[in-house]
Amino acid sequence: MSAVKPLDAHYIQWHARRLVEAVRRFGLVHRDEDGGFLIFLFARHWLIREVHPHYRLQVARALDTPERDPPVSSWLLHQVEEGDDAAWIGMLWDRFAQNSQTDTTPARLMPPPVVQGIKEQRVGELIRRWRQLGLFMVPYQQEVRRLGAVEREVMRDLGGADDRERIGLIDSLQVADQSIPSWAKMALIPRLACPESCRHCMFIWRPPMKHLPDPGPLLATINQRTANLLFTGGDLTGELDLFHHAIATMDQVETFAILLNGQLAHTRAAADDFFAALHRALARRPRSFARARVVVQISLDEYHQEILANRRGELRERIPVAHVARLLIAGAGWNGGTVALVHKQNSLNFSTLLFQHGVLGRLAAELELRGWNIGDVHWLTSPRSKEHPAQPGRQGGVIREAQLSLVGPATAATVHFISSCIDAMGRAELMDRSEYVHEPLLLESWLQGASPVMDPFDTDPMLWRNGNVTLFGAIHLWMGHFFEEGDRIFTRWHKDPLVAALARMDLRVLTAHQAWNARKHHELVQSATSPHGLMHAMTRDSAARLFLTRWLLTHPAERVLIPS
Ligand code: SF4
């Protein structure tokens, strides 16, 4: 049986891995004569920002090599609290000068040879170069506030004058097909609130949803248009009554999925109660209803379960792995549907070490503590090669799906595991790119017009409990207000040229966006982490949505839309 390690061991191990990978990526991207010094500056700032002082030395030791004496960690942490970058680089310069005769290490951290006599000039150049990179210049929380303010504006603009003009334009179009479509899936957002602040979350600011109308009409319309309903949003722990009500009353829906962050399972009894309530809700469905199942999706990744240090250096898990273990065990004997772990891809996804290290290693230990273990694992890799986030230039298949066999004292069950990419949106914009698998290769190929195989942009409808209707792939792309307009909203899916272009991943959206704002367009292309992320970013501004829609109407592709 593998013992559950104390949190500090996990904290040090995980941050050491993050440090090595961030430094490796930085070093590969900045391979020039200044690179050595810049790497040291990067590593030093990374440690100061990411690691509590109690643990910095242990984490920094991940960069030590047996040949180098004194070790890199001692240089990195020299005068951490005082001393500006120039003074610190000067100190480093002197140390290298002293050691240059004896140090033969061909390490990745080796700086260029020190040229005596030009120290001040070179240190000044290095500091200027470092500042030009713009890294770690603004405190993290200040950056979060800045991005949060942008998000607030985007959300407040939802359904504003531009969106209403855009919708009016779409409604004025005549198309042969006036029917109300149905979809493979639809989502309901009961509320967007969440008390957590995961580093990869696409939300920083969430619109408050208060004084909400009766959800009955929303459920009724979803019931007519899809067999698969997903409850999503923030922390849905407080929205389970509505989920149970939906299960018990929506006769056409066959799959009820809910995405949980696991916070509710603070005891085994709470986890058991959760599944018992689902069972009761399913049992309330009359026999005449479609046969239904529930898919319980539980987030499990390095961010939801991140180990955090408070000011005193005391550690806690953001959402404890034990909560997830309790839910898996409670769900193991349950026959009302499936339980799936929803994971975010990182460098571990490039091998089966994924199932032994990081958060999945911690989960295995928590399960074993309770007399359960993960047996056979059957996994699938992505159809396309992806770039290793810490080693730009290296590619490979990543594990994107698995079936985990969960074996207990008296029973066994299968747990589904789904692992997807992160896009640099919301809080995730502030993450170092070494930390998550993203899609630079796919993006490049798509931008070059190579029509790579990829999932379409998800344009299925997302209905907010407050009446807003948007898209799965773009929570800001406003299609109307259900409580003002009713089902008529859904006819827009036949007509909206922007939705159609997104669904086709049509490159003309880029041309149109560039015509709207060339500078903004350049910025978005430079910072995009995937084709879908770029489409998402290009439609965030309501003025852009209106412009893109008009542009697409005047530059039709395959479908001819006739203004009335
Ligand atoms: S990722 Fe989920 S749990 Fe984390 S902050 Fe966002 S909504 Fe909350």
Side-chain angles (χ1 to χ4, degrees), residues 142 264 490:
Q142 196 175 320
L264 65 89
F490 300 117

Side-chain angles (χ1 to χ4, degrees), residues 194 196-198 200-201 206 233-234 261 304 319:
C194 182
E196 305 301 336
S197 49
C198 305
H200 72 308
C201 189
R206 299 170 177 84
N261 63 14
H304 283 90
I319 297 170

Side-chain angles (χ1 to χ4, degrees), residues 192-203 206 233-235 259-261 299 301 303-304 318-319 427:
L192 271 171
C194 182
E196 305 301 336
S197 49
C198 305
R199 284 192 299 122
H200 72 308
C201 189
M202 64 183 290
F203 292 112
R206 299 170 177 84
D235 178 12
L259 178 57
L260 296 171
N261 63 14
S299 295
D301 51 51
Y303 317 105
H304 283 90
R318 191 190 307 280
I319 297 170
R427 213 177 273 266

